[in-house]
């Protein structure tokens, strides 16, 4: 059973950047993808982007393209996401999720516990 | 691809049958997943490929639909089912879109 362990809460100033991590254990890191999903307080889930470590390919939601960078370190089974030019609208819980591909289907079958990122002056 | 859900919230009694609808802005075949998110917790996968029950999920949950219209049904609602429910399209894999969610209360 895979476990995704995320880094701790962050408090950032507007205009700064934040880099959060997601370490996978219990399964081969390369055999699936990692996606990042955020959720503002009282709001729904928003897919931000993802990476397939086996291929090193990254994908981003249009809304975040250019401001979000997702990377992965296979040697430590850790995925990272950096968000730049933070504003108060980026205050949210950030989840990582394992993306399993079965045939032409895909699903987020394991999730981290989430990281609260607060952007405040 | 845009996703919508209805209703945005609902209240039901223990033992009720609950139905949540998800609609895609274009045909997505059966590339549709459902997630449950309990208050203060991370989401959990309930159903994938529109109708396949994830391992460990109680059989009172079921999904149906294809094309643009999908349904999540909870037969005999239980207190532990109080949560928000989200649909997700995977037709455009490796990019994804979630629906806005449906909050279920007792």
């Amino acid at each position: 059973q895979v476990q995704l362990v995320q880094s701790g809460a962050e408090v950032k100033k507007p205009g700064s950047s934040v880099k959060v991590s997601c370490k996978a254990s219990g399964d081969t890191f390369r055999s699936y993808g990692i996606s990042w999903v955020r959720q503002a307080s009282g709001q729904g889930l928003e897919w931000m982007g993802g990476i397939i470590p086996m291929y090193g390919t990254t994908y981003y939601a249009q809304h975040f393209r250019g401001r979000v960078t997702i990377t992965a370190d296979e040697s430590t089974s850790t995925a990272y996401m950096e968000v730049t030019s933070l504003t108060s609208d980026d205050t949210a819980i950030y989840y990582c999720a394992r993306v399993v591909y079965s045939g032409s289907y895909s699903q987020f079958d394991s999730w981290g516990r989430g990281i609260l990122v607060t952007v405040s002056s | 691809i845009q996703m919508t859900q209805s209703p945005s919230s609902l209240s039901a009694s223990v033992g009720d049958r609950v139905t949540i609808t998800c609609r895609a802005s274009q045909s997505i075949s059966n590339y549709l997943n459902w997630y449950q998110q309990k208050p203060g917790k991370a989401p959990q996968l309930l159903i994938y490929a529109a109708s396949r029950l994830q391992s460990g999920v109680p059989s009172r949950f079921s999904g149906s639909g294809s094309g643009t219209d999908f349904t999540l049904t909870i037969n005999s609602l239980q207190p532990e089912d109080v949560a928000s429910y989200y649909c997700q399209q995977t037709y455009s894999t490796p990019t994804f879109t979630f629906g806005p969610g449906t909050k279920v209360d007792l």
Side-chain angles (χ1 to χ4, degrees):
Chain A
Q1 179 72 15
V2 69
Q3 278 194 314
L4 300 178
V5 179
Q6 298 188 242
S7 48
E10 302 268 7
V11 179
K12 294 293 183 180
K13 300 285 190 187
S16 67
S17 300
V18 67
K19 189 171 185 177
V20 294
S21 68
C22 172
K23 182 175 176 60
S25 62
D27 199 351
T28 305
F29 187 64
R30 297 181 78 239
S31 63
Y32 47 83
I34 294 288
S35 268
W36 290 88
V37 177
R38 81 174 183 182
Q39 185 173 40
S41 180
Q43 302 301 307
L45 303 174
E46 183 176 26
W47 182 77
M48 300 178 68
I51 187 167
I52 304 176
M54 176 183 294
Y55 305 116
T57 51
T58 53
Y59 306 90
Y60 300 99
Q62 181 70 34
H63 177 65
F64 295 103
R65 206 161 289 164
R67 204 164 67 88
V68 171
T69 303
I70 297 171
T71 56
D73 181 344
E74 290 184 64
S75 67
T76 60
S77 296
T78 302
Y80 300 90
M81 181 179 67
E82 182 175 27
V83 184
T84 61
S85 304
L86 291 167
T87 72
S88 58
D89 289 342
D90 295 311
T91 295
I93 295 175
Y94 290 77
Y95 295 101
C96 63
R98 181 176 84 156
V99 186
V100 171
Y101 301 96
S102 48
S104 59
Y105 298 97
S106 50
Q107 53 263 10
F108 294 14
D109 75 337
S110 294
W111 294 67
R113 295 180 67 177
I115 301 165
L116 176 61
V117 175
T118 303
V119 183
S120 173
S121 56
Chain B
I1 299 173
Q2 304 302 314
M3 308 300 292
T4 58
Q5 288 182 235
S6 61
S8 57
S9 65
L10 66 90
S11 291
S13 300
V14 173
D16 282 354
R17 182 177 185 178
V18 170
T19 300
I20 298 168
T21 298
C22 174
R23 177 164 288 175
S25 60
Q26 67 179 70
S27 177
I28 58 171
S29 184
N30 65 338
Y31 293 93
L32 192 284
N33 300 332
W34 289 97
Y35 297 85
Q36 176 193 65
Q37 185 181 32
K38 296 182 179 180
K41 301 293 186 182
Q44 287 187 302
L45 177 65
L46 288 178
I47 288 171
Y48 63 98
S51 61
R52 301 180 188 179
L53 200 65
Q54 173 70 351
S55 176
V57 173
S59 59
R60 63 180 179 273
F61 291 94
S62 64
S64 64
S66 184
T68 61
D69 296 321
F70 302 86
T71 299
L72 173 69
T73 300
I74 310 173
N75 282 302
S76 188
L77 185 72
Q78 298 300 303
E80 59 266 32
D81 300 334
V82 168
S84 292
Y85 295 84
Y86 296 90
C87 61
Q88 176 201 36
Q89 67 82 16
T90 66
Y91 182 83
S92 61
T93 295
T95 66
F96 307 94
T97 315
F98 288 96
T102 296
K103 186 176 181 181
V104 174
D105 284 324
L106 287 177

